[in-house]
Amino acid sequence: MILVTTTPSVDGYTITNYQGIVFGEVVSGVNMFKDLGAGLRNMFGGRSQGYEEELMRARNEAIAEMQQRAEAMGAHAVCISSSRCFVFSHVFFRV
């Protein structure tokens, strides 16, 4: 398993080679029931568990994809990792 960190280095290790930039992308849609639940939460307040679960799933998939791509490039770790989420008309994009 490839180590993923948000820091520019890993304690106890020296970076000897840079393999390049690696990404993990996920496009995730939500169903009408999650939309309905989120709409009710907007009206009455509270957190949307369906959306939160979908965002966590998308983030984990993006990290796993990034790890696979990094390993294919010959990397042992991914440093300075960051995550972004974009929402377009009820579709989550995580990069």
Side-chain angles (χ1 to χ4, degrees), residues 12-13 20-21 31 52 57-58 61 67-68 74 83 85:
Y13 293 91
I21 298 172
N31 63 40
E52 288 178 2
R57 186 191 65 72
E61 283 185 20
Q67 288 172 313
Q68 292 171 355
S83 176
C85 179

Side-chain angles (χ1 to χ4, degrees), residues 78-89:
V78 175
C79 296
I80 314 177
S81 173
S82 67
S83 176
R84 301 289 182 264
C85 179
F86 306 97
V87 179
F88 297 100
S89 184

